[in-house]
Amino acid sequence: MEILKFKSIDSTNTYSKTNFDCLKDKTAVIADEQTNGRGRFERVWVSKNCENIYLSLVLKPQNIRYIANLTQYMSVVTADILQTYNVQPQIKWPNDVLVNNKKICGILSESVIKNNQISGIVLGIGINLNMDAKTINSIDRPATSLNLETGQKIDKEVFLQNLLEAFWKNYDNAVQYGFEYFKKDYLKYVDFLGKTIFIQQRDNDKKEQYIAKNIDNQGNLIVLDPTNNEKIIYSGDLIY
Ligand code: BTN
């Protein structure tokens, strides 16, 4: 794996996408700070230099069948590492990682398309490791940071090394078998099944109410609508 480190950059995802063709498969692009950190649904990802993780992986697997599930694979790997700090991570479908119901990690995957074909993805992940309460409270949604949850400063290099090691350990299996390969581990961190939830689509203020029933073998969310009809949700923001 090649690692590219930047002190400050607009966004590790933007850099990886712009330079995708010249970057080798499995390159890790890491920054101490991002001036234009991006989240899902065109949201801002607060990326001040506070010893947090801002990482993008350039992935060009031969088998692209399950490429969309790599975000969920990354969420499981992150939850596994967080758990070693004696916190109890939760995964909020599809791939947010929370601690105490507050977001600690966000994942943004962007496909790179050439000649109408997917040539790979940039898998970006931001993990709040060391932030002060004031910065956390300035975020417009419930958020937290590992140092605030544990009461101790987190060694970013150690966390990063463990994260990358764990990610590559089962990467080939995740690519080959998709969500089914790590479904059992994913479900360990899910606590919204059986509850009333709301789904909001990116370009829509409307929140649709359902009961979360299950996660299927492709990583989609199975819900019951208010008339008890089953529906599969393929994308969106889960609120509960
Ligand atoms: C989300 O909205 O939950 C996804 C947040 C993803 C943030 C990471 S930080 C590293 C990479 N570079 C970006 O600009 N975004 C991702």
Side-chain angles (χ1 to χ4, degrees), residues 8 27 52 79 97 102 119 123 133 136 169-170 183 189 202 232:
S8 182
T27 300
N52 289 335
V97 185
K102 292 171 281 184
S119 46
L123 185 61
I136 278 289
K169 191 167 166 221
N170 286 308
K183 180 176 180 180
Y189 296 114
R202 97 177 24 226
I232 300 181

mmCIF file with all atom_site columns, all heavy atoms in Angstrom, residues 8 27 52 79 97 102 119 123 133 136 169-170 183 189 202 232:
data_model
loop_
_atom_site.group_PDB
_atom_site.id
_atom_site.type_symbol
_atom_site.label_atom_id
_atom_site.label_alt_id
_atom_site.label_comp_id
_atom_site.label_asym_id
_atom_site.label_entity_id
_atom_site.label_seq_id
_atom_site.pdbx_PDB_ins_code
_atom_site.Cartn_x
_atom_site.Cartn_y
_atom_site.Cartn_z
_atom_site.occupancy
_atom_site.B_iso_or_equiv
_atom_site.pdbx_formal_charge
_atom_site.auth_seq_id
_atom_site.auth_comp_id
_atom_site.auth_asym_id
_atom_site.auth_atom_id
_atom_site.pdbx_PDB_model_num
ATOM 1   N N   . SER A 1 8   ? -2.116  19.923  4.770   1.00 0.00 ? 8   SER A N   1
ATOM 2   C CA  . SER A 1 8   ? -3.419  20.529  4.536   1.00 0.00 ? 8   SER A CA  1
ATOM 3   C C   . SER A 1 8   ? -3.796  20.328  3.070   1.00 0.00 ? 8   SER A C   1
ATOM 4   O O   . SER A 1 8   ? -2.946  20.427  2.190   1.00 0.00 ? 8   SER A O   1
ATOM 5   C CB  . SER A 1 8   ? -3.340  22.024  4.866   1.00 0.00 ? 8   SER A CB  1
ATOM 6   O OG  . SER A 1 8   ? -4.600  22.602  4.682   1.00 0.00 ? 8   SER A OG  1
ATOM 7   N N   . THR A 1 27  ? -3.884  2.908   -2.782  1.00 0.00 ? 27  THR A N   1
ATOM 8   C CA  . THR A 1 27  ? -3.176  4.072   -2.217  1.00 0.00 ? 27  THR A CA  1
ATOM 9   C C   . THR A 1 27  ? -4.025  4.679   -1.102  1.00 0.00 ? 27  THR A C   1
ATOM 10  O O   . THR A 1 27  ? -5.249  4.799   -1.234  1.00 0.00 ? 27  THR A O   1
ATOM 11  C CB  . THR A 1 27  ? -2.931  5.137   -3.312  1.00 0.00 ? 27  THR A CB  1
ATOM 12  O OG1 . THR A 1 27  ? -2.135  4.568   -4.334  1.00 0.00 ? 27  THR A OG1 1
ATOM 13  C CG2 . THR A 1 27  ? -2.224  6.366   -2.738  1.00 0.00 ? 27  THR A CG2 1
ATOM 14  N N   . ASN A 1 52  ? -7.456  14.327  14.003  1.00 0.00 ? 52  ASN A N   1
ATOM 15  C CA  . ASN A 1 52  ? -8.517  13.410  13.581  1.00 0.00 ? 52  ASN A CA  1
ATOM 16  C C   . ASN A 1 52  ? -8.044  12.635  12.362  1.00 0.00 ? 52  ASN A C   1
ATOM 17  O O   . ASN A 1 52  ? -7.014  12.969  11.778  1.00 0.00 ? 52  ASN A O   1
ATOM 18  C CB  . ASN A 1 52  ? -9.767  14.195  13.175  1.00 0.00 ? 52  ASN A CB  1
ATOM 19  C CG  . ASN A 1 52  ? -10.460 14.821  14.342  1.00 0.00 ? 52  ASN A CG  1
ATOM 20  O OD1 . ASN A 1 52  ? -10.335 14.345  15.467  1.00 0.00 ? 52  ASN A OD1 1
ATOM 21  N ND2 . ASN A 1 52  ? -11.177 15.896  14.082  1.00 0.00 ? 52  ASN A ND2 1
ATOM 22  N N   . ALA A 1 79  ? -15.882 0.231   13.572  1.00 0.00 ? 79  ALA A N   1
ATOM 23  C CA  . ALA A 1 79  ? -16.547 -0.094  14.839  1.00 0.00 ? 79  ALA A CA  1
ATOM 24  C C   . ALA A 1 79  ? -15.698 -1.090  15.640  1.00 0.00 ? 79  ALA A C   1
ATOM 25  O O   . ALA A 1 79  ? -15.578 -0.970  16.870  1.00 0.00 ? 79  ALA A O   1
ATOM 26  C CB  . ALA A 1 79  ? -17.944 -0.654  14.567  1.00 0.00 ? 79  ALA A CB  1
ATOM 27  N N   . VAL A 1 97  ? -20.970 5.608   11.792  1.00 0.00 ? 97  VAL A N   1
ATOM 28  C CA  . VAL A 1 97  ? -20.661 4.967   13.070  1.00 0.00 ? 97  VAL A CA  1
ATOM 29  C C   . VAL A 1 97  ? -20.907 5.997   14.181  1.00 0.00 ? 97  VAL A C   1
ATOM 30  O O   . VAL A 1 97  ? -20.460 7.147   14.095  1.00 0.00 ? 97  VAL A O   1
ATOM 31  C CB  . VAL A 1 97  ? -19.206 4.442   13.123  1.00 0.00 ? 97  VAL A CB  1
ATOM 32  C CG1 . VAL A 1 97  ? -18.971 3.669   14.422  1.00 0.00 ? 97  VAL A CG1 1
ATOM 33  C CG2 . VAL A 1 97  ? -18.927 3.532   11.926  1.00 0.00 ? 97  VAL A CG2 1
ATOM 34  N N   . LYS A 1 102 ? -24.294 9.502   18.985  1.00 0.00 ? 102 LYS A N   1
ATOM 35  C CA  . LYS A 1 102 ? -23.723 10.682  18.328  1.00 0.00 ? 102 LYS A CA  1
ATOM 36  C C   . LYS A 1 102 ? -22.687 10.225  17.303  1.00 0.00 ? 102 LYS A C   1
ATOM 37  O O   . LYS A 1 102 ? -21.918 9.296   17.558  1.00 0.00 ? 102 LYS A O   1
ATOM 38  C CB  . LYS A 1 102 ? -23.085 11.609  19.371  1.00 0.00 ? 102 LYS A CB  1
ATOM 39  C CG  . LYS A 1 102 ? -24.122 12.257  20.286  1.00 0.00 ? 102 LYS A CG  1
ATOM 40  C CD  . LYS A 1 102 ? -23.481 12.998  21.431  1.00 0.00 ? 102 LYS A CD  1
ATOM 41  C CE  . LYS A 1 102 ? -23.055 12.058  22.523  1.00 0.00 ? 102 LYS A CE  1
ATOM 42  N NZ  . LYS A 1 102 ? -22.513 12.691  23.715  1.00 0.00 ? 102 LYS A NZ  1
ATOM 43  N N   . SER A 1 119 ? -14.393 2.307   -12.858 1.00 0.00 ? 119 SER A N   1
ATOM 44  C CA  . SER A 1 119 ? -12.993 1.848   -12.816 1.00 0.00 ? 119 SER A CA  1
ATOM 45  C C   . SER A 1 119 ? -12.485 1.762   -11.378 1.00 0.00 ? 119 SER A C   1
ATOM 46  O O   . SER A 1 119 ? -11.353 1.365   -11.153 1.00 0.00 ? 119 SER A O   1
ATOM 47  C CB  . SER A 1 119 ? -12.088 2.717   -13.686 1.00 0.00 ? 119 SER A CB  1
ATOM 48  O OG  . SER A 1 119 ? -12.344 4.062   -13.483 1.00 0.00 ? 119 SER A OG  1
ATOM 49  N N   . LEU A 1 123 ? -12.764 5.681   -1.385  1.00 0.00 ? 123 LEU A N   1
ATOM 50  C CA  . LEU A 1 123 ? -13.482 5.425   -0.133  1.00 0.00 ? 123 LEU A CA  1
ATOM 51  C C   . LEU A 1 123 ? -12.920 6.362   0.930   1.00 0.00 ? 123 LEU A C   1
ATOM 52  O O   . LEU A 1 123 ? -11.799 6.177   1.405   1.00 0.00 ? 123 LEU A O   1
ATOM 53  C CB  . LEU A 1 123 ? -13.267 3.958   0.261   1.00 0.00 ? 123 LEU A CB  1
ATOM 54  C CG  . LEU A 1 123 ? -14.021 3.438   1.478   1.00 0.00 ? 123 LEU A CG  1
ATOM 55  C CD1 . LEU A 1 123 ? -15.520 3.549   1.270   1.00 0.00 ? 123 LEU A CD1 1
ATOM 56  C CD2 . LEU A 1 123 ? -13.676 1.970   1.727   1.00 0.00 ? 123 LEU A CD2 1
ATOM 57  N N   . ALA A 1 133 ? -14.853 20.120  22.995  1.00 0.00 ? 133 ALA A N   1
ATOM 58  C CA  . ALA A 1 133 ? -16.314 20.098  23.086  1.00 0.00 ? 133 ALA A CA  1
ATOM 59  C C   . ALA A 1 133 ? -16.926 21.266  22.302  1.00 0.00 ? 133 ALA A C   1
ATOM 60  O O   . ALA A 1 133 ? -17.993 21.125  21.689  1.00 0.00 ? 133 ALA A O   1
ATOM 61  C CB  . ALA A 1 133 ? -16.733 20.148  24.548  1.00 0.00 ? 133 ALA A CB  1
ATOM 62  N N   . ILE A 1 136 ? -17.049 20.352  18.638  1.00 0.00 ? 136 ILE A N   1
ATOM 63  C CA  . ILE A 1 136 ? -18.071 19.308  18.456  1.00 0.00 ? 136 ILE A CA  1
ATOM 64  C C   . ILE A 1 136 ? -19.478 19.912  18.523  1.00 0.00 ? 136 ILE A C   1
ATOM 65  O O   . ILE A 1 136 ? -20.340 19.602  17.707  1.00 0.00 ? 136 ILE A O   1
ATOM 66  C CB  . ILE A 1 136 ? -17.901 18.200  19.538  1.00 0.00 ? 136 ILE A CB  1
ATOM 67  C CG1 . ILE A 1 136 ? -16.809 17.223  19.120  1.00 0.00 ? 136 ILE A CG1 1
ATOM 68  C CG2 . ILE A 1 136 ? -19.185 17.460  19.822  1.00 0.00 ? 136 ILE A CG2 1
ATOM 69  C CD1 . ILE A 1 136 ? -17.171 16.314  17.947  1.00 0.00 ? 136 ILE A CD1 1
ATOM 70  N N   . LYS A 1 169 ? -7.042  -6.752  6.032   1.00 0.00 ? 169 LYS A N   1
ATOM 71  C CA  . LYS A 1 169 ? -7.087  -8.158  6.455   1.00 0.00 ? 169 LYS A CA  1
ATOM 72  C C   . LYS A 1 169 ? -8.194  -8.945  5.721   1.00 0.00 ? 169 LYS A C   1
ATOM 73  O O   . LYS A 1 169 ? -7.957  -10.042 5.235   1.00 0.00 ? 169 LYS A O   1
ATOM 74  C CB  . LYS A 1 169 ? -7.297  -8.213  7.969   1.00 0.00 ? 169 LYS A CB  1
ATOM 75  C CG  . LYS A 1 169 ? -7.106  -9.579  8.541   1.00 0.00 ? 169 LYS A CG  1
ATOM 76  C CD  . LYS A 1 169 ? -6.999  -9.533  10.050  1.00 0.00 ? 169 LYS A CD  1
ATOM 77  C CE  . LYS A 1 169 ? -7.150  -10.942 10.583  1.00 0.00 ? 169 LYS A CE  1
ATOM 78  N NZ  . LYS A 1 169 ? -7.957  -10.980 11.781  1.00 0.00 ? 169 LYS A NZ  1
ATOM 79  N N   . ASN A 1 170 ? -9.377  -8.379  5.642   1.00 0.00 ? 170 ASN A N   1
ATOM 80  C CA  . ASN A 1 170 ? -10.485 -9.110  5.011   1.00 0.00 ? 170 ASN A CA  1
ATOM 81  C C   . ASN A 1 170 ? -11.001 -8.428  3.740   1.00 0.00 ? 170 ASN A C   1
ATOM 82  O O   . ASN A 1 170 ? -12.100 -8.728  3.266   1.00 0.00 ? 170 ASN A O   1
ATOM 83  C CB  . ASN A 1 170 ? -11.633 -9.277  6.006   1.00 0.00 ? 170 ASN A CB  1
ATOM 84  C CG  . ASN A 1 170 ? -11.284 -10.327 7.036   1.00 0.00 ? 170 ASN A CG  1
ATOM 85  O OD1 . ASN A 1 170 ? -10.895 -11.439 6.693   1.00 0.00 ? 170 ASN A OD1 1
ATOM 86  N ND2 . ASN A 1 170 ? -11.377 -9.974  8.317   1.00 0.00 ? 170 ASN A ND2 1
ATOM 87  N N   . LYS A 1 183 ? -21.900 -9.652  7.129   1.00 0.00 ? 183 LYS A N   1
ATOM 88  C CA  . LYS A 1 183 ? -23.234 -9.281  7.632   1.00 0.00 ? 183 LYS A CA  1
ATOM 89  C C   . LYS A 1 183 ? -23.380 -9.530  9.141   1.00 0.00 ? 183 LYS A C   1
ATOM 90  O O   . LYS A 1 183 ? -23.908 -8.695  9.882   1.00 0.00 ? 183 LYS A O   1
ATOM 91  C CB  . LYS A 1 183 ? -24.294 -10.081 6.866   1.00 0.00 ? 183 LYS A CB  1
ATOM 92  C CG  . LYS A 1 183 ? -25.715 -9.776  7.307   1.00 0.00 ? 183 LYS A CG  1
ATOM 93  C CD  . LYS A 1 183 ? -26.746 -10.519 6.460   1.00 0.00 ? 183 LYS A CD  1
ATOM 94  C CE  . LYS A 1 183 ? -28.138 -10.172 6.938   1.00 0.00 ? 183 LYS A CE  1
ATOM 95  N NZ  . LYS A 1 183 ? -29.175 -10.851 6.164   1.00 0.00 ? 183 LYS A NZ  1
ATOM 96  N N   . TYR A 1 189 ? -23.598 -4.433  15.496  1.00 0.00 ? 189 TYR A N   1
ATOM 97  C CA  . TYR A 1 189 ? -23.548 -3.016  15.861  1.00 0.00 ? 189 TYR A CA  1
ATOM 98  C C   . TYR A 1 189 ? -24.848 -2.266  15.565  1.00 0.00 ? 189 TYR A C   1
ATOM 99  O O   . TYR A 1 189 ? -24.919 -1.052  15.720  1.00 0.00 ? 189 TYR A O   1
ATOM 100 C CB  . TYR A 1 189 ? -22.397 -2.336  15.097  1.00 0.00 ? 189 TYR A CB  1
ATOM 101 C CG  . TYR A 1 189 ? -21.037 -2.886  15.475  1.00 0.00 ? 189 TYR A CG  1
ATOM 102 C CD1 . TYR A 1 189 ? -20.268 -3.590  14.559  1.00 0.00 ? 189 TYR A CD1 1
ATOM 103 C CD2 . TYR A 1 189 ? -20.523 -2.698  16.749  1.00 0.00 ? 189 TYR A CD2 1
ATOM 104 C CE1 . TYR A 1 189 ? -19.027 -4.088  14.901  1.00 0.00 ? 189 TYR A CE1 1
ATOM 105 C CE2 . TYR A 1 189 ? -19.280 -3.188  17.101  1.00 0.00 ? 189 TYR A CE2 1
ATOM 106 C CZ  . TYR A 1 189 ? -18.543 -3.894  16.168  1.00 0.00 ? 189 TYR A CZ  1
ATOM 107 O OH  . TYR A 1 189 ? -17.311 -4.381  16.520  1.00 0.00 ? 189 TYR A OH  1
ATOM 108 N N   . ARG A 1 202 ? -31.973 12.476  -0.291  1.00 0.00 ? 202 ARG A N   1
ATOM 109 C CA  . ARG A 1 202 ? -31.032 13.600  -0.390  1.00 0.00 ? 202 ARG A CA  1
ATOM 110 C C   . ARG A 1 202 ? -31.670 14.912  -0.849  1.00 0.00 ? 202 ARG A C   1
ATOM 111 O O   . ARG A 1 202 ? -31.374 15.979  -0.352  1.00 0.00 ? 202 ARG A O   1
ATOM 112 C CB  . ARG A 1 202 ? -29.881 13.202  -1.309  1.00 0.00 ? 202 ARG A CB  1
ATOM 113 C CG  . ARG A 1 202 ? -30.038 13.676  -2.706  1.00 0.00 ? 202 ARG A CG  1
ATOM 114 C CD  . ARG A 1 202 ? -28.975 13.430  -3.695  1.00 0.00 ? 202 ARG A CD  1
ATOM 115 N NE  . ARG A 1 202 ? -28.061 12.353  -3.498  1.00 0.00 ? 202 ARG A NE  1
ATOM 116 C CZ  . ARG A 1 202 ? -26.745 12.462  -3.641  1.00 0.00 ? 202 ARG A CZ  1
ATOM 117 N NH1 . ARG A 1 202 ? -26.226 13.614  -3.925  1.00 0.00 ? 202 ARG A NH1 1
ATOM 118 N NH2 . ARG A 1 202 ? -25.963 11.429  -3.516  1.00 0.00 ? 202 ARG A NH2 1
ATOM 119 N N   . ILE A 1 232 ? -38.090 -2.216  0.269   1.00 0.00 ? 232 ILE A N   1
ATOM 120 C CA  . ILE A 1 232 ? -36.630 -2.240  0.407   1.00 0.00 ? 232 ILE A CA  1
ATOM 121 C C   . ILE A 1 232 ? -36.095 -0.835  0.170   1.00 0.00 ? 232 ILE A C   1
ATOM 122 O O   . ILE A 1 232 ? -36.440 -0.182  -0.825  1.00 0.00 ? 232 ILE A O   1
ATOM 123 C CB  . ILE A 1 232 ? -35.975 -3.211  -0.591  1.00 0.00 ? 232 ILE A CB  1
ATOM 124 C CG1 . ILE A 1 232 ? -36.513 -4.628  -0.350  1.00 0.00 ? 232 ILE A CG1 1
ATOM 125 C CG2 . ILE A 1 232 ? -34.459 -3.220  -0.439  1.00 0.00 ? 232 ILE A CG2 1
ATOM 126 C CD1 . ILE A 1 232 ? -35.939 -5.683  -1.258  1.00 0.00 ? 232 ILE A CD1 1
#
